Amino acid sequence: GAPCPGIPGPSLGSRRCGARGRVTARSRRQVTAEQLRARGNALFQAGDHGAALAAYTEALSLSDAAPERAVLHRNRAACYLKLEDYAKAEADATKAIEADGRDVKALFRRSQALQQLGRLDQAIGDLQRCMSLEPRNKAFQEALRALGSSMHEKMKTMSCTDSKVEQMFQILLDPEEEDADKKQKAVQNLIVLAREEAGAEKIFQSDGVRLLTQLLDTAKADLMLAALRTLVGLCSGHRSRTLAILAELGAPRLSAVLGVEHEQVSLAACNLLHVMFDSLKEGLQKDFRGKEDAVVLDSSRDLKLLIKHLLELLALEGASAHGRDNALNLLIKVVPRKSPKETNNSMSLWVIDQGLKKILEVGSTVCGSPGSLPVTENSRMSASVLLSKLYEDLKCDAERENFHHLCEDYVRGWFEGHELPGKLRAIQTVSCLLQGPSDAGNRVLELEGIMDSVLSLCASVCEAHQLVAVEALIHAADKAKRASFITANGVSLLKEIYKHSERDSIRIRALVGLCKLGSAGGTDFSMKQFAEGSTMKLAKQCRKWLCNEAIDTGTRRWAVEGLAYLTFDADVKEEFVEDKAAMQAMFHLAKSEDRSVLYAVASTLVNCTNSYDHEEPDPQMLELAKYAKQHIPEQHPKDKPEFVKRRVQKLLMAGVVSALACMVKSENPALTNSCRELISRVFLALVEEAEDRGGVVAQGGGKALIPLSLEGTEVGQTKAAQALAKITITSNPEMAFPGERIYEVVRPLVSLLHLQRTGLENFEGLMALTNLAGISERLRQKILKERAVPMIEGYMFEEHELIRLAATECMCNMAMSKDVQELFLAEGSDRLKLMVLYSGEEDEKLRRAASGTLAMLTALHPPICKRIPQVTVHWLEILQALLLSPNAELQHRGAVVVMNMMAAAREVAEQLIASEMLEILSVLAKDKDKP
């Protein structure tokens, strides 16, 4: 085996053949494994630990004998220690110990690995076992002494931490302590300590939860923030601690802190509750199995208790508007299933039964009316999103019918017997449902008297009442089911309001209603709803209101809503991008507190950049349509590529990227998955031209695209991944995605290789991964971890020559990784054969990529040299053709392969020299033009 410090290496020993000297197939295979082990030992002694590891691994695949396998595992552990892969070293040493508990070498190696992994107590256990087996071994004595002092240091640090924790709480809870800097330092130390597992456990064991509760009860914002942020560290990924903390603090106290007026404290409480939900739902995420698994913890009761208090907070008059928003955001994140693959939707059903009416209380709030709940401009949108998520989480008609009945009962309850204030609440509820689960919205809209009330209130003299009714009419106009009724009854009414109302807030909403009804033809130029010029006039008025800072942002938001519909018209798009003030006013709104504007901004930008889906009609179908006198959609002349390109440039100059980046940062429910998809579409349009990509990255586009590519609709994630690929292909990835961010780009790029993606997406994904694979081994390992290699190999057989070439180039860079090199030697694999054959193809670029891969493989992994003559009978003529090529790059690659093969094994060298290779090399050696 490979030598161990202070322990002489074992002799290889000898094996007798079977009875009477017969060499059976089985004994031949054992001799081969033994030879490989001997080669591994020699390589290890020579310092080539990677190659030694490969030899031992191959020997393991050939060996069935338990004692021999144990030795090979022990030797691999030595290699992994040298290569600093301590987890694998521990795993291999453990396998050797399982075969022989008295194997001191394996015990010693495992202790070294455990020490590096920070598990000192277990490392000491292994060393003590070594000492009991070989008490006089100096290496063991020295190692145990060194490890003992390490443990002593750790214990000292821990006891020091004990006193520090006590000290920090004393400073923070002392009413007479007036040194602000001292308090600030104590706060920071406490939070930092809680982020480390040892520190978090220490705070927890030192009566920290009771002391943190005292900090919360001081009602001082800075101390409450310190307590909440420390509690986040204590709860992160630790279910048993979370349950203990929840029992100590109590759900009512946490809910009360969430509902406080102080915005930062409410947000910190929201963050803590989110972490608690994750810990209770996911259970244990960190490696504390021994401690945790002893008790089976059921946390569903605690989850329901927390959710019940959040639902009560929604309808609590004393709760702050921000607290209400945070409670809605939490419910959106933690209640519905994350994926349809999860079968259990019981939590959503429970919330609908227990709290649907409480959610509707927020959605039906009429601002300014007596007794209304305190809400922000985002609250009703958040309620709509939560209702939509709950409705989507239902699995059958019976569950959906129950949802509809509850909504109808709630609306009827307000509409009947509460006079005008009740009718307003009922209509506001309809608006909330139409923006969320529109099926439920349409159902309540059809209740007797609702639509008539909406139309009559549109003419109300009271501004607040008129606002509620006009908004309901606008939301109803979105839904095809009601559109014909509203077109017949609503257009004249909206025109009347628009022309004669004296209030901008009402006129702007009426205008949006007209815009919605007027944009029914979408981008179809021939389907104009309004008279020539009317659309342009409406758009001009929208831009005017948008730029008027004297109007409140809630009203100006509606101007963007109008543009979201009017920009289906290319003339409107052209005028909008020429109006820099209007563009910047819209971007400013996108960055404001009112997040309900996000969808309208994103829709407007999708229209301006033409980044919606548009399929080219089949020419034969067009002819048939003309013959049958059917309507044929027409493209506006100003929607041609040159106009779109110019509009993109204008948007970039106006600062669209920083606005989009700000929109993505929003943690608000208004950033729905469909909104994310729109933003992804815009980004993809912005990076279409290679020269614009650097500017997009510089303004934060690269950073914003990563979360878009990992969350949202499948289409949205794909568009964002494609935009990332385009950036990675033409920019320096290390500058475009600095630090750890570059590793986050790998998964989105790998997603472009899936079979359901288009050929262009496959190609761009491969090109981008080629760039990343050429940067570092850590990136190659990340690509391997994402299981990209089988997909890359699959595309090497692709008929499309560019995709085939991109896959081969990607494999060339991936071949720098030892794990990939091993794949080329795998039994029954045609990987190496394909590379050799591609080196003889007619396509020069493909030959260059394949022969480059061979040059790399033969240099980095010599066993491959011996395999090449075995994979195809044409290997010699392919190598000779490379050397005789007029292309110097191909000649160079061929020469490197031949040189590596000559050096690797005598039998291969003899085959090369027996051919015409020597003459070819002699001629090339004299060529002074190709040094």
Side-chain angles (χ1 to χ4, degrees), residues 53-76:
L53 177 66
Y56 294 141
T57 303
E58 200 174 339
L60 266 170
S61 69
L62 298 174
S63 172
D64 295 330
E68 186 167 20
R69 288 182 67 79
V71 172
L72 288 165
H73 278 301
R74 184 178 74 199
N75 291 357
R76 279 209 322 184

Short mmCIF file of all heavy atoms in Angstrom, two decimals, residues 53-76:
data_model
loop_
_atom_site.label_atom_id
_atom_site.label_comp_id
_atom_site.label_asym_id
_atom_site.label_seq_id
_atom_site.Cartn_x
_atom_site.Cartn_y
_atom_site.Cartn_z
N LEU A 53 -4.32 7.28 -7.54
CA LEU A 53 -5.74 7.12 -7.21
C LEU A 53 -6.48 6.40 -8.35
O LEU A 53 -7.26 5.48 -8.12
CB LEU A 53 -6.37 8.50 -6.97
CG LEU A 53 -7.87 8.52 -6.68
CD1 LEU A 53 -8.19 7.84 -5.35
CD2 LEU A 53 -8.39 9.95 -6.65
N ALA A 54 -6.18 6.80 -9.58
CA ALA A 54 -6.82 6.18 -10.75
C ALA A 54 -6.47 4.69 -10.82
O ALA A 54 -7.34 3.85 -11.12
CB ALA A 54 -6.39 6.88 -12.03
N ALA A 55 -5.21 4.35 -10.54
CA ALA A 55 -4.76 2.94 -10.59
C ALA A 55 -5.49 2.11 -9.53
O ALA A 55 -5.98 1.02 -9.80
CB ALA A 55 -3.25 2.86 -10.40
N TYR A 56 -5.55 2.66 -8.30
CA TYR A 56 -6.25 1.93 -7.23
C TYR A 56 -7.74 1.76 -7.55
O TYR A 56 -8.33 0.72 -7.27
CB TYR A 56 -6.11 2.67 -5.89
CG TYR A 56 -4.69 2.73 -5.35
CD1 TYR A 56 -4.21 3.89 -4.73
CD2 TYR A 56 -3.83 1.64 -5.44
CE1 TYR A 56 -2.92 3.97 -4.22
CE2 TYR A 56 -2.53 1.70 -4.93
CZ TYR A 56 -2.08 2.87 -4.33
OH TYR A 56 -0.80 2.94 -3.83
N THR A 57 -8.34 2.80 -8.12
CA THR A 57 -9.78 2.75 -8.46
C THR A 57 -10.03 1.67 -9.51
O THR A 57 -10.99 0.89 -9.41
CB THR A 57 -10.25 4.13 -8.98
OG1 THR A 57 -9.97 5.11 -7.98
CG2 THR A 57 -11.74 4.14 -9.28
N GLU A 58 -9.14 1.61 -10.52
CA GLU A 58 -9.29 0.58 -11.56
C GLU A 58 -9.09 -0.81 -10.97
O GLU A 58 -9.81 -1.76 -11.31
CB GLU A 58 -8.27 0.84 -12.69
CG GLU A 58 -8.67 0.16 -13.98
CD GLU A 58 -7.76 0.53 -15.16
OE1 GLU A 58 -7.09 1.58 -15.10
OE2 GLU A 58 -7.73 -0.24 -16.11
N ALA A 59 -8.14 -0.93 -10.05
CA ALA A 59 -7.89 -2.22 -9.39
C ALA A 59 -9.12 -2.66 -8.60
O ALA A 59 -9.49 -3.84 -8.60
CB ALA A 59 -6.68 -2.11 -8.47
N LEU A 60 -9.79 -1.69 -7.94
CA LEU A 60 -11.01 -2.01 -7.17
C LEU A 60 -12.10 -2.58 -8.07
O LEU A 60 -12.83 -3.49 -7.68
CB LEU A 60 -11.55 -0.74 -6.49
CG LEU A 60 -11.09 -0.49 -5.05
CD1 LEU A 60 -11.50 0.89 -4.60
CD2 LEU A 60 -11.67 -1.53 -4.09
N SER A 61 -12.19 -2.03 -9.30
CA SER A 61 -13.23 -2.50 -10.22
C SER A 61 -12.95 -3.94 -10.69
O SER A 61 -13.85 -4.62 -11.17
CB SER A 61 -13.34 -1.56 -11.42
OG SER A 61 -12.19 -1.67 -12.23
N LEU A 62 -11.68 -4.40 -10.55
CA LEU A 62 -11.31 -5.75 -11.00
C LEU A 62 -11.24 -6.77 -9.86
O LEU A 62 -11.12 -7.96 -10.09
CB LEU A 62 -9.95 -5.71 -11.71
CG LEU A 62 -9.87 -4.85 -12.98
CD1 LEU A 62 -8.45 -4.79 -13.48
CD2 LEU A 62 -10.78 -5.38 -14.06
N SER A 63 -11.29 -6.26 -8.62
CA SER A 63 -11.04 -7.16 -7.48
C SER A 63 -12.34 -7.50 -6.75
O SER A 63 -13.17 -6.63 -6.50
CB SER A 63 -10.08 -6.48 -6.50
OG SER A 63 -9.98 -7.26 -5.34
N ASP A 64 -12.50 -8.82 -6.42
CA ASP A 64 -13.66 -9.26 -5.65
C ASP A 64 -13.25 -9.66 -4.23
O ASP A 64 -14.09 -9.72 -3.34
CB ASP A 64 -14.32 -10.49 -6.30
CG ASP A 64 -14.92 -10.13 -7.66
OD1 ASP A 64 -15.32 -8.97 -7.81
OD2 ASP A 64 -14.98 -11.00 -8.55
N ALA A 65 -11.97 -9.94 -4.02
CA ALA A 65 -11.51 -10.46 -2.73
C ALA A 65 -11.58 -9.37 -1.66
O ALA A 65 -11.01 -8.29 -1.83
CB ALA A 65 -10.08 -10.98 -2.86
N ALA A 66 -12.27 -9.64 -0.55
CA ALA A 66 -12.48 -8.63 0.51
C ALA A 66 -11.17 -8.09 1.09
O ALA A 66 -11.02 -6.87 1.23
CB ALA A 66 -13.36 -9.22 1.61
N PRO A 67 -10.16 -8.96 1.41
CA PRO A 67 -8.92 -8.41 2.00
C PRO A 67 -8.21 -7.45 1.02
O PRO A 67 -7.69 -6.41 1.43
CB PRO A 67 -8.06 -9.65 2.27
CG PRO A 67 -9.02 -10.79 2.28
CD PRO A 67 -10.11 -10.43 1.34
N GLU A 68 -8.21 -7.83 -0.27
CA GLU A 68 -7.53 -6.99 -1.26
C GLU A 68 -8.27 -5.66 -1.43
O GLU A 68 -7.66 -4.60 -1.52
CB GLU A 68 -7.46 -7.72 -2.60
CG GLU A 68 -6.63 -6.95 -3.62
CD GLU A 68 -6.28 -7.80 -4.84
OE1 GLU A 68 -6.97 -8.81 -5.09
OE2 GLU A 68 -5.34 -7.43 -5.52
N ARG A 69 -9.59 -5.71 -1.43
CA ARG A 69 -10.39 -4.48 -1.57
C ARG A 69 -10.13 -3.55 -0.38
O ARG A 69 -10.06 -2.33 -0.53
CB ARG A 69 -11.89 -4.81 -1.67
CG ARG A 69 -12.28 -5.44 -3.00
CD ARG A 69 -13.78 -5.69 -3.07
NE ARG A 69 -14.55 -4.45 -3.11
CZ ARG A 69 -14.71 -3.71 -4.20
NH1 ARG A 69 -14.16 -4.08 -5.35
NH2 ARG A 69 -15.42 -2.61 -4.15
N ALA A 70 -9.98 -4.14 0.82
CA ALA A 70 -9.72 -3.33 2.02
C ALA A 70 -8.40 -2.56 1.88
O ALA A 70 -8.32 -1.37 2.20
CB ALA A 70 -9.69 -4.22 3.26
N VAL A 71 -7.37 -3.27 1.36
CA VAL A 71 -6.06 -2.62 1.16
C VAL A 71 -6.19 -1.48 0.15
O VAL A 71 -5.64 -0.40 0.33
CB VAL A 71 -5.00 -3.66 0.70
CG1 VAL A 71 -3.71 -2.95 0.30
CG2 VAL A 71 -4.72 -4.66 1.82
N LEU A 72 -6.93 -1.74 -0.93
CA LEU A 72 -7.10 -0.71 -1.98
C LEU A 72 -7.85 0.51 -1.44
O LEU A 72 -7.50 1.65 -1.74
CB LEU A 72 -7.84 -1.31 -3.19
CG LEU A 72 -7.01 -2.29 -4.03
CD1 LEU A 72 -7.90 -3.10 -4.97
CD2 LEU A 72 -5.93 -1.55 -4.84
N HIS A 73 -8.87 0.28 -0.61
CA HIS A 73 -9.60 1.40 0.00
C HIS A 73 -8.66 2.20 0.92
O HIS A 73 -8.68 3.44 0.91
CB HIS A 73 -10.80 0.90 0.81
CG HIS A 73 -12.00 0.62 -0.03
ND1 HIS A 73 -12.60 1.59 -0.82
CD2 HIS A 73 -12.72 -0.52 -0.23
CE1 HIS A 73 -13.64 1.06 -1.45
NE2 HIS A 73 -13.73 -0.22 -1.13
N ARG A 74 -7.82 1.48 1.67
CA ARG A 74 -6.87 2.14 2.57
C ARG A 74 -5.89 2.99 1.76
O ARG A 74 -5.56 4.11 2.14
CB ARG A 74 -6.13 1.05 3.36
CG ARG A 74 -5.19 1.59 4.41
CD ARG A 74 -4.56 0.45 5.16
NE ARG A 74 -3.55 -0.25 4.37
CZ ARG A 74 -3.10 -1.46 4.62
NH1 ARG A 74 -3.61 -2.14 5.65
NH2 ARG A 74 -2.17 -2.02 3.88
N ASN A 75 -5.41 2.44 0.62
CA ASN A 75 -4.46 3.18 -0.22
C ASN A 75 -5.11 4.39 -0.88
O ASN A 75 -4.50 5.45 -1.02
CB ASN A 75 -3.88 2.26 -1.30
CG ASN A 75 -2.96 1.21 -0.69
OD1 ASN A 75 -2.72 1.20 0.51
ND2 ASN A 75 -2.44 0.33 -1.52
N ARG A 76 -6.38 4.22 -1.28
CA ARG A 76 -7.10 5.37 -1.87
C ARG A 76 -7.26 6.48 -0.82
O ARG A 76 -7.19 7.66 -1.15
CB ARG A 76 -8.47 4.93 -2.38
CG ARG A 76 -8.44 4.29 -3.73
CD ARG A 76 -9.69 4.49 -4.53
NE ARG A 76 -10.94 4.45 -3.79
CZ ARG A 76 -12.13 4.53 -4.36
NH1 ARG A 76 -12.22 4.63 -5.67
NH2 ARG A 76 -13.23 4.49 -3.64
#
